[in-house]
Amino acid sequence: MGASAGSAPAAQRVQRAGWRDPRLWVGVAIVAASVVVGARVLASADDTVPVWTAVGDLAAGAPLAAGDLEQHRVRFADADVLRDYYSGTASPPRGVLLRGLGAGELLPRAAVGTATQSGTVQVPLAVDPEQVPPSVGAGSVVDVYLLGDAEPALAAASVVDAPDVQDSFVVSGKRQLVLAVPEDDARRFFGLLGAADSPTLTVVRRA
């Protein structure tokens, strides 16, 4: 029997676009281009560079060790300024600090030199623990007094090393400190110690 005049036409099945359909490849190309452009935009947005910074406070005259430094990424408004600092893309520098650095401070090239350039020597001290503030550590700046003197025997000396209190007590019962001081100041200090019968040292930390 033929279809009646009032019957609906037969539904036609919609065919899916095959892999040969050019519209499919155009869509793939658009997605790939978007990914590439997005990656380039993100890469250009990160214009920071790695530089070496101080992990903690570092004293003038202290020899640099790998554990003293860590990398931070920094954005420089002027690319030429980067030349004044040690880039984190190279190995950490070796040498002696010509000036002190605070924790997190960028390491400038001008702050690293040799022991001769620093003009300092390292002076060991053994001090009664009650004569040293507990907060004194590597990187602190201190004055050292001989008991009974109004003027410091060593002024504004940098603490290069300050072993843990417990480690210091094991040997002598005293707090061990190593200070970096100018050579002339060191000679004067040892002269004062030699002139005293039983010198007692007091360490005062500068804020």
Side-chain angles (χ1 to χ4, degrees), residues 35-157:
V35 171
V36 171
V37 171
R40 290 181 177 177
V41 169
L42 290 175
S44 62
D46 184 13
D47 56 356
T48 60
V49 294
V51 292
W52 289 109
T53 64
V55 173
D57 293 338
L58 300 176
L64 277 176
D68 295 330
L69 304 173
E70 63 184 359
Q71 290 187 17
H72 279 188
R73 299 193 68 88
V74 179
R75 179 179 291 106
F76 289 90
D78 185 351
D80 291 338
V81 176
L82 176 59
R83 300 174 186 173
D84 296 333
Y85 297 90
Y86 282 98
S87 171
T89 58
S91 300
R94 300 296 185 187
V96 174
L97 282 176
L98 304 181
R99 69 169 180 83
L101 294 178
E105 185 177 348
L106 304 185
L107 179 62
R109 294 183 179 275
V112 181
T114 64
T116 302
Q117 288 176 304
S118 72
T120 62
V121 294
Q122 295 188 8
V123 175
L125 296 182
V127 188
D128 292 328
E130 64 272 14
Q131 300 296 331
V132 186
S135 60
V136 169
S140 299
V141 179
V142 299
D143 294 334
V144 180
Y145 288 84
L146 281 172
L147 190 63
D149 289 350
E151 297 296 327
L154 288 173

Side-chain angles (χ1 to χ4, degrees), residues 14 22 86 106 110-111 127 140 148 161 163 166 176 193 196-197:
V14 178
Y86 282 98
L106 304 185
V127 188
S140 299
D161 191 19
Q166 292 180 350
Q176 306 295 314
L193 287 182
D197 292 333

